[in-house]
Amino acid sequence: MDKIKIAIQKSGRLSDDSLKLIKECGIKFNNGMGKLKAVADNFPLEFLFLRDDDIPGYVEDGVAHLGIVGENVLVEKEKDVDNVKLLGFSKCRLSIGVDRNWDYKGVQELAGKSIATSYPKILKGFLDKNKVNAEIHEISGSVEIAPSIGLADAVCDIVSSGSTLLSNGLKETEVIMKSQAVLIANKSLNAEQQDILDKLIFRINAVQEGKK
Ligand code: PRT
Ligand code: ZN
């Protein structure tokens, strides 16, 4: 039988829960530290360990047939893949944060301001929808410090507990999107690959049912 390849985040907030889900599905594999690939022993699945940002593109291109990624990254990358199943972990939200002393009354107050983010496309969609003209300042990390160093007036970043915003003197004012991990698939799987995916989904459903 052919194997199908699933792209999983190499190391980060999605990695542990992604691998835990695979194990709970009864799929056994050995992933040595730092390895970029692994093969399952008892299921026709091969793992590719990648940066999360690269996963939607690899799945679109068919380098990987499946992938596990946050909805936030999936939406930002605008890749053409199938959104197969919400997985219920790595929950977070993409929010606007502003100085806690800003008497923020609504989204219109962002007009003419600069907003630092690693999610320029999602932010632009939000601003356009609200007819707000603001400057988007794309940075790749440490977004929360942008206001305190004078780089931007506000941030648009991932929030989970809220403590990072708080410790940078910011408050959350708008939730732009909610996110969780999602299983994605290449759009042109052949019949055999689709069959393996169906078997995997069957097992994931059983795991999720068992947790209810
Ligand atoms: O190296 P690689 O590119 O693969 O990883 P990464 O550093 O880009 O991503 P990673 O591992 O940080 O996050 C992977 C995914 O986990 C994200 O795309 C989200 O879908 C999800 N996720 C869930 C989070 C968080 N919770 C989260 N709290 N991603 C990031 N954060 C960061 C956030 O950026 C901020 O710096 O945590 C901070 C906020 O957390 P709180 O709890 O202080 O609010
Ligand atoms: Zn990343």
Side-chain angles (χ1 to χ4, degrees):
M1 204 191 217
D2 249 14
K3 284 189 173 48
I4 63 172
K5 292 180 191 157
I6 184 165
I8 288 181
Q9 188 190 27
K10 187 172 188 312
S11 105
R13 287 186 169 87
L14 290 158
S15 309
D16 288 352
D17 283 342
S18 299
L19 293 178
K20 186 166 143 244
L21 174 67
I22 299 289
K23 284 183 187 136
E24 285 170 341
C25 286
I27 298 171
K28 295 198 170 68
F29 62 94
N30 194 333
N31 69 318
M33 279 288 283
K35 279 217 297 195
L36 300 180
K37 277 170 97 173
V39 182
D41 301 328
N42 56 352
F43 197 83
L45 200 59
E46 209 176 299
F47 303 91
L48 303 179
F49 299 108
L50 302 168
R51 284 200 59 188
D52 66 346
D53 313 72
D54 296 333
I55 291 175
Y58 278 126
V59 172
E60 182 185 63
D61 295 345
V63 174
H65 305 98
L66 310 177
I68 296 178
V69 72
E71 288 175 289
N72 50 311
V73 170
L74 180 61
V75 174
E76 180 65 25
K77 297 294 174 190
E78 296 182 332
K79 299 294 180 187
D80 194 21
V81 297
D82 273 337
N83 194 327
V84 178
K85 191 157 184 56
L86 292 175
L87 299 175
F89 58 82
S90 297
K91 288 190 175 169
C92 58
R93 50 202 191 269
L94 184 66
S95 296
I96 299 283
V98 305
D99 189 297
R100 65 162 172 261
N101 296 318
W102 181 342
D103 182 22
Y104 185 98
K105 295 192 187 67
V107 62
Q108 296 306 326
E109 293 200 24
L110 295 172
K113 306 286 191 205
S114 66
I115 308 171
T117 190
S118 308
Y119 295 88
K121 289 180 186 161
I122 299 176
L123 175 58
K124 182 165 190 319
F126 171 78
L127 293 171
D128 288 352
K129 195 182 79 190
N130 286 287
K131 301 190 170 57
V132 170
N133 200 354
E135 188 197 326
I136 298 174
H137 207 104
E138 183 176 356
I139 50 179
S140 59
S142 304
V143 171
E144 301 87 351
I145 63 161
S148 64
I149 61 173
L151 191 69
D153 302 305
V155 300
C156 163
D157 199 16
I158 299 292
V159 180
S160 148
S161 67
S163 68
T164 302
L165 285 183
L166 202 66
S167 65
N168 284 282
L170 303 170
K171 63 181 176 187
E172 187 177 6
T173 57
E174 312 274 351
V175 176
I176 296 182
M177 78 173 282
K178 290 193 172 163
S179 176
Q180 59 179 283
V182 59
L183 177 67
I184 57 174
N186 176 269
K187 283 206 153 170
S188 32
L189 297 182
N190 66 30
E192 196 173 4
Q193 292 161 346
Q194 184 63 47
D195 185 54
I196 299 170
L197 173 57
D198 290 344
K199 290 194 168 84
L200 181 63
I201 293 171
F202 183 84
R203 292 188 185 200
I204 293 173
N205 286 340
V207 170
Q208 291 185 339
E209 274 302 310
K211 285 185 177 166
K212 274 185 188 163

